[in-house]
């Protein structure tokens, strides 16, 4: 793919001198370079996309303000059909507020459907790197085939972000991030690099943690390559939290302090992600479950399985647990479940893609125990959604999952206890970007004997690259031999195809 460097784009600015638009010249700047966290875009519609940046000349400052003075700053933005910005299709100014850690979320409108665009910012006489983005196809049209990559779990200390770099090089049209974008723990030992500070609790802590992660050039390259659809999992707040219930008591927090922590975590998440202003948090809650329609090709139903869930049954962990069957239990909450089923009933696109966090298919070990943090701990909730899409005759349900630091491809079954029951959907699980370290070359399917619907597994780090067309979804499980050495090559550990109208995995 074309390298999007600051140098190229500054030259582009100079090259436009003399044309009708007023080009951005590189000026002698008094302030230090503020675009050290890169740029991003997200949540495309047929006529608009969100553009994001955050000014931070000194990203690692402990106050979380990135070295910016306590004042608001005007930021200019431009959208063009070329990376030289010789003509603009949209432009404007936005205020980067000190109160928002100088993050901006620009809704760039007036765009054409199913089109590629470039964007950049200028502030304090500095020009940002160039990002590439894309709009969704218009309602009722398929648009081009879509290369969509998805990923999760990028523990900073566990490895380098080579997988994000390789994802950018695959030239995707869209990226889904399914959570654990950051981890909340304090500085550890034995990793390839270290978190700054102790376990993050305050708004300043969370802001600095995002700044540390976003300083990584490989992560910046992945953001600059395509628009992202993001949903958090647990570590954007704290490990395995369930709504207002914490999974551990370290650090010790009063109920009020925990509420304040969750508020800070959601606020920093919004500040640092290319989300529409409609996803801005309100105090201790953040409206994140949403639908992104991709014309007639696909609909992305992005779920939030942390904020509204019941507490993990039987004390969490892997358990044989009758309570996991209680119909009163929900992973989504009643409102999100109704919203999802209503959206599935609309048949907007060929592929109904559920972008979500935790393992969806049944996975029992030999003793019958299952992960209480996953859908196995909320079996009635899963059954309502599976039956819901069957009742609504959803043609192509496809569940995308993160969280488990291992790649999987699964057939979803009408009755998991009966291997001969109908296959009613498909699940693809991405491995981690780094979390868990290098992993191994193993493709043994854990618990495969007790769960024959689990069809593939890989213990490598990486991501999943999908190619979505009107007739099929192809999935390539992209794998790195190492994340503790930077810049490892990527290979494909396995490939599958899902055919339109035929739920389940075919050999790729
Ligand atoms: Fe994780
Ligand atoms: Ca997780």
């Amino acid at each position: 793919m074309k390298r999007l460097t600051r140098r190229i784009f500054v030259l582009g600015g100079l090259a436009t001198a003399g044309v009708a638009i007023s080009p951005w010249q590189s000026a002698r700047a008094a302030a230090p370079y503020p675009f050290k966290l890169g740029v991003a875009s997200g949540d495309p519609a047929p006529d608009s996309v969100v553009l994001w940046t955050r000014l931070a000349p000194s990203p690692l400052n402990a106050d979380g303000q990135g070295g910016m003075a306590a004042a608001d700053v005007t930021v200019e933005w431009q959208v063009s059909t070329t990376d030289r910005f010789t003509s603009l299709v949209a432009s404007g100014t936005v205020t980067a507020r000190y109160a928002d850690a100088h993050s901006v979320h620009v809704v760039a409108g007036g765009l054409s459907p199913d089109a590629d665009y470039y964007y950049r910012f200028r502030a304090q006489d500095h020009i940002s790197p160039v990002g590439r983005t894309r709009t969704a196809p218009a309602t009722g049209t398929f648009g081009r085939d879509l290369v969509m990559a998805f990923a999760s779990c990028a523990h900073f200390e566990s490895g380098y972000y080579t997988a994000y770099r390789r994802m950018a090089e695959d030239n995707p049209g869209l990226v889904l991030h399914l959570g654990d974008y950051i981890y909340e723990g304090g500085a550890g030992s034995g990793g390839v690099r270290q978190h700054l500070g102790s376990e993050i609790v305050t708004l300043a802590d969370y802001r600095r943690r995002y700044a540390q992660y976003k300083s990584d050039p490989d992560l910046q390259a992945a953001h600059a390559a395509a628009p992202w659809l993001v949903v958090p999992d647990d570590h954007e707040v704290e490990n395995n939290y369930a709504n207002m219930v914490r999974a551990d008591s370290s650090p010790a927090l009063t109920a009020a302090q925990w509420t304040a922590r969750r508020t800070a975590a959601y606020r920093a998440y919004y500040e640092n992600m290319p989300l529409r202003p409609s996803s801005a948090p309100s105090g201790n809650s953040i409206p994140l479950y949403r639908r992104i329609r991709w014309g007639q090709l696909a609909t992305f139903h992005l779920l939030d399985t942390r904020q509204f869930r019941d507490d993990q049954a039987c004390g969490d962990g892997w358990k044989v647990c009758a309570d996991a069957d209680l119909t009163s239990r929900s992973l989504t909450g009643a409102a999100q479940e109704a919203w999802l089923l209503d959206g599935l009933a609309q048949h907007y696109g060929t592929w109904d893609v559920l972008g979500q966090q935790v393992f969806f298919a049944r996975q029992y070990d030999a003793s019958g125990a299952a992960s209480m943090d996953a859908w196995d701990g909320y079996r009635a909730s899963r059954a309502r959604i599976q039956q819901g899409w069957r009742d609504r005759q959803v043609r192509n349900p496809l569940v995308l999952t993160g969280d488990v630091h291992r790649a999987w491809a699964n057939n979803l079954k009408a009755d998991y206890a009966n291997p001969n029951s109908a296959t009613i959907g498909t699940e693809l699980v991405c491995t981690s970007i780094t979390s868990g370290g290098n992993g191994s070359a193993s493709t043994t399917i854990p618990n495969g004997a007790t769960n024959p619907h689990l069809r593939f597994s890989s213990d490598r780090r990486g991501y999943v690259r999908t190619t979505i067309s009107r007739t099929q979804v192809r999935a390539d499980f992209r794998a790195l031999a190492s994340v503790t050495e930077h810049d490892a090559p990527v290979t494909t550990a396995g490939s599958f195809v899902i055919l339109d109208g035929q739920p389940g995995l075919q050999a790729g």
Side-chain angles (χ1 to χ4, degrees), residues 235-439:
H235 289 286
E236 284 86 350
V237 181
E238 188 183 48
N239 179 52
N240 278 19
Y241 81 100
N243 196 340
M244 291 308 291
V245 181
R246 295 179 72 195
D248 63 63
S249 54
S250 172
L253 298 173
T254 64
Q257 287 170 326
W258 162 242
T259 299
R261 183 184 184 186
R262 205 175 94 147
T263 301
Y266 289 159
R267 182 168 169 183
Y269 185 75
Y270 175 74
E271 286 175 352
N272 285 281
M273 292 294 146
L275 288 163
R276 287 181 180 259
S278 53
S279 292
S282 172
N284 186 34
S285 67
I286 182 168
L288 284 175
Y289 66 80
R290 62 201 191 277
R291 248 183 296 281
I292 305 294
R293 291 176 59 184
W294 207 264
Q296 205 168 331
L297 185 65
T299 306
F300 298 96
H301 309 263
L302 301 172
L303 305 189
D304 175 346
T305 61
R306 289 288 161 195
Q307 199 175 181
F308 310 104
R309 67 159 71 195
D310 288 300
D311 193 17
Q312 288 90 350
C314 294
D316 207 354
W318 280 69
K319 297 284 169 57
V320 177
C321 176
D323 280 1
D325 286 313
L326 292 173
T327 56
S328 58
R329 293 178 51 69
S330 178
L331 192 59
T332 58
Q336 183 176 195
E337 180 180 305
W339 165 89
L340 173 61
L341 294 176
D342 178 65
L344 290 169
Q346 305 308 315
H347 304 281
Y348 288 127
T350 300
W351 302 93
D352 276 296
V353 181
L354 278 61
Q356 58 94 45
Q357 294 78 16
V358 292
F359 207 87
F360 192 86
R362 191 196 78 172
Q363 184 190 163
Y364 288 177
D365 70 13
S367 73
S371 170
M372 291 297 102
D373 189 56
W375 288 88
D376 274 331
Y378 305 79
R379 290 171 204 141
S381 193
R382 176 175 60 202
R384 286 192 296 273
I385 289 170
Q386 289 198 167
Q387 191 59 45
W389 80 51
R390 298 182 73 192
D391 291 345
R392 288 158 184 76
Q393 298 182 297
V394 174
R395 184 173 172 84
N396 293 304
L398 172 59
V399 177
L400 307 182
T401 303
D403 183 54
V404 288
H405 307 174
R406 190 178 176 104
W408 299 79
N410 307 326
N411 287 332
L412 302 176
K413 303 298 283 186
D415 176 5
Y416 290 100
N418 177 9
N420 297 319
S421 69
T423 294
I424 56 146
T426 318
E427 178 179 25
L428 303 172
V429 184
C430 63
T431 182
S432 61
I433 293 289
T434 54
S435 304
N438 287 333

Side-chain angles (χ1 to χ4, degrees), residues 152-155 179-180 182-183 233-235 402-405 432 435:
S152 72
C153 296
H155 198 293
D180 293 359
I182 60 162
Y183 282 75
D233 191 22
D234 53 337
H235 289 286
D403 183 54
V404 288
H405 307 174
S432 61
S435 304

